[in-house]
Amino acid sequence: KAGVTQTPRYLIKTRGQQVTLSCSPISGHRSVSWYQQTPGQGLQFLFEYFSETQRNKGNFPGRFSGRQFSNSRSEMNVSTLELGDSALYLCASSLGGGHYEQYFGPGTRLTVT
Amino acid sequence: GEDVEQSLFLSVREGDSSVINCTYTDSSSTYLYWYKQEPGAGLQLLTYIFSNMDMKQDQRLTVLLNKKDKHLSLRIADTQTGDSAIYFCADLDSWGKLQFGAGTQVVVTP
């Protein structure tokens, strides 16, 4: 069974631009969560989607948004990029509905210059 | 918010056992996890334990949970050079999201 895939793997953007990251969960998984990993703040939860609905949201500004499609694939968008948004963005998938094993993708490394 | 804390660094000789410790504060945690991250990679789920269990063993990995002290540990038997990585402890909070520790860098020396 294929694992969680994330595209692109690397991205360089300029301050003020926007970016969209994509995550395809493991087949059959309906829950997708997004995390930001930085050296200073560690791993922080962004949001979680289940069956196209956002169920949880972390403490991030409104510039960070996401969505989930009917095939469970998810995208996250960051608008008006700031230097501090440079990070590894990880997505995790799980079956959802009470199943708590979360499997992570390889991440997207975003660099904002 | 609720915290998960772990020591930052552990050096161990190849063939010895490694023990990584973690403490958490959220008394409502239902599951506790250990993830491994190698350079340039995502997080690999190693094992997890339900909060009503004391111990779980999976091949070379042993997880011990002391719920009274909110202390979790991961023991790796016969540590190999391929075990060099950062290990993250995490708990599942009441909102269903993972709360991670800062990670323990494990360095295995020959």
Side-chain angles (χ1 to χ4, degrees):
Chain A
K1 198 184 252 189
V4 180
T5 58
Q6 292 188 245
T7 56
R9 290 293 312 277
Y10 303 92
L11 207 48
I12 300 175
K13 289 286 189 179
T14 305
R15 268 183 304 177
Q17 287 186 314
Q18 74 161 15
V19 68
T20 299
L21 313 181
S22 180
C23 171
S24 291
I26 293 169
S27 177
H29 284 195
R30 294 167 63 193
S31 170
V32 173
S33 298
W34 288 88
Y35 293 82
Q36 181 197 64
Q37 186 178 26
T38 59
Q41 299 297 316
L43 282 152
Q44 294 186 286
F45 172 80
L46 281 156
F47 27 65
E48 184 224 354
Y49 287 87
F50 178 76
S51 293
E52 301 179 67
T53 301
Q54 186 182 89
R55 288 202 300 194
N56 280 309
K57 190 177 190 312
N59 295 324
F60 278 82
R63 300 185 297 108
F64 292 82
S65 62
R67 59 178 174 167
Q68 187 180 35
F69 301 95
S70 58
N71 61 357
S72 295
R73 189 177 71 85
S74 177
E75 288 182 346
M76 69 163 278
N77 183 275
V78 188
S79 63
T80 319
L81 284 165
E82 300 177 1
L83 295 178
D85 297 332
S86 294
L88 181 66
Y89 290 88
L90 294 160
C91 97
S93 82
S94 70
L95 283 168
H99 294 267
Y100 298 108
E101 295 178 21
Q102 291 194 29
Y103 296 93
F104 282 78
T108 294
R109 171 74 63 185
L110 171 65
T111 302
V112 182
T113 61
Chain B
E2 303 294 351
D3 289 331
V4 177
E5 294 189 356
Q6 43 184 136
S7 53
L8 295 182
F9 184 80
L10 176 67
S11 179
V12 63
R13 287 200 175 196
E14 192 175 11
D16 288 350
S17 292
S18 312
V19 179
I20 308 168
N21 294 299
C22 169
T23 58
Y24 62 98
T25 59
D26 188 354
S27 57
S28 67
S29 295
T30 50
Y31 290 86
L32 295 124
Y33 303 80
W34 285 103
Y35 281 90
K36 175 184 179 183
Q37 187 175 38
E38 296 181 84
L43 301 177
Q44 176 191 352
L45 177 61
L46 288 177
T47 187
Y48 63 96
I49 188 168
F50 188 48
S51 59
N52 69 352
M53 296 170 64
D54 299 324
M55 186 183 87
K56 181 179 180 182
Q57 189 151 2
D58 185 0
Q59 299 182 333
R60 292 191 299 124
L61 305 179
T62 302
V63 179
L64 294 178
L65 174 61
N66 181 328
K67 193 170 182 181
K68 174 176 168 289
D69 295 336
K70 297 190 182 66
H71 182 267
L72 181 75
S73 67
L74 174 69
R75 178 177 178 270
I76 306 173
D78 187 26
T79 311
Q80 303 298 308
T81 54
D83 295 323
S84 292
I86 300 176
Y87 291 79
F88 291 93
C89 165
D91 72 348
L92 192 72
D93 73 9
S94 54
W95 294 98
K97 68 180 190 285
L98 289 171
Q99 179 86 21
F100 286 91
T104 300
Q105 172 88 54
V106 173
V107 173
V108 182
T109 56

